[in-house]
Amino acid sequence: MNATDWQVHGMSVEGYRHRRADMPCQDWCGHRRVGPVTVLAVADGAGSRPRSDDGSRLAVQLAVDHFGHRAAALADRDATEAHDPLRDTFLKVREEFKAETGPDCGDFATTLTVVVLAPGWLMYLTVGDGFVVLRSGTEDGVRQYHLLPQPDAVSEYSNETVFLTSDEAPARMIALPVYDPWVDGVLLSTDGLAQAALGRSGGEGPVNVSFADAVLRSLDTPGPVSESAHEGLATLLRSDRLTALNADDKTLLRAVRRRRS
């Protein structure tokens, strides 16, 4: 799973509420290839904070920079050996984020979810309510999809979440190494797509397989992402069908491993 093995594509779009109020999108996503690794990151700025759009962008920029360099140096290690250094990198991103935003860092509050794709393993790190779905293996010829663990809810009576700047973030973050050589698709998203992608609108199981399969399969075609594919994803994320499920901003960052001839 070298960096060049992965085709990556994604975007963030403003939700209906923000379009109606002429407000900017408060989600952000990005990726970076450094040597044999690919880093994927998504962030969701807190809607109630005045500079959360700047916060989500800064969090992703810091993540792809710091994780790119650190993970490249660990690429030949075992996934479990990389766990502590990469968890420390996440905490370094948090501290640098707070240093750059200063005493008003709460105004920039955002979640952050990162996946590092290294040869033979991946590392998943998250704080907040973002989520990651893996496509890995088949069962009776059917591709299998797996939702990675999410942090526990702050409260069973609210939809609150933990942000990168929250005091409890270091204790509530997840840092999980995954060794699975059959992973050939990865989907990262913010909670604006939870109802569509995770079967929370009446579907069975933790993953809405039809949604995950469609958005990953469309990237399986060899060659660069076409303009029509890019426009197609934007149209999907802004569609009435998805807006009816959730009017929040939406982010989808996807990576598919290229098949070697």
Side-chain angles (χ1 to χ4, degrees), residues 38-41 113-117 122-125 132 148 186 188:
T38 296
V39 178
L40 313 169
T113 299
V114 178
V115 170
V116 176
L117 301 170
L122 65 87
M123 185 80 177
Y124 161 63
L125 306 102
V132 173
L148 292 182
V186 184
L188 286 74

Side-chain angles (χ1 to χ4, degrees), residues 108-188:
F108 297 78
T110 181
T111 66
L112 178 63
T113 299
V114 178
V115 170
V116 176
L117 301 170
W121 55 269
L122 65 87
M123 185 80 177
Y124 161 63
L125 306 102
T126 189
V127 63
D129 49 15
F131 63 89
V132 173
V133 172
L134 303 182
R135 185 179 72 184
S136 177
T138 61
E139 186 172 314
D140 296 328
V142 178
R143 281 178 160 170
Q144 299 299 297
Y145 294 85
H146 313 274
L147 175 66
L148 292 182
Q150 295 177 275
D152 293 333
V154 174
S155 167
E156 61 178 310
Y157 303 108
S158 73
N159 61 357
E160 296 176 5
T161 191
V162 175
F163 299 110
L164 194 59
T165 49
S166 301
D167 291 341
E168 62 269 36
R172 296 181 67 93
M173 69 174 287
I174 287 178
L176 178 68
V178 177
Y179 174 72
D180 185 347
W182 293 278
V183 171
D184 67 354
V186 184
L187 186 159
L188 286 74

Side-chain angles (χ1 to χ4, degrees), residues 46-135:
S48 60
R49 309 297 172 86
R51 299 197 63 183
S52 60
D53 55 328
D54 294 323
S56 62
R57 181 170 61 251
L58 176 61
V60 167
Q61 290 171 344
L62 290 173
V64 297
D65 183 27
H66 284 285
F67 277 99
H69 291 294
R70 189 71 179 107
L74 296 165
D76 61 350
R77 305 277 190 90
D78 183 86
T80 53
E81 292 181 301
H83 174 275
D84 288 349
L86 292 182
R87 184 182 188 281
D88 290 344
T89 301
F90 196 98
L91 297 177
K92 182 177 181 180
V93 167
R94 176 178 182 269
E95 291 308 311
E96 187 164 331
F97 182 96
K98 293 176 66 177
E100 289 201 22
T101 54
D104 297 324
C105 64
D107 290 347
F108 297 78
T110 181
T111 66
L112 178 63
T113 299
V114 178
V115 170
V116 176
L117 301 170
W121 55 269
L122 65 87
M123 185 80 177
Y124 161 63
L125 306 102
T126 189
V127 63
D129 49 15
F131 63 89
V132 173
V133 172
L134 303 182
R135 185 179 72 184

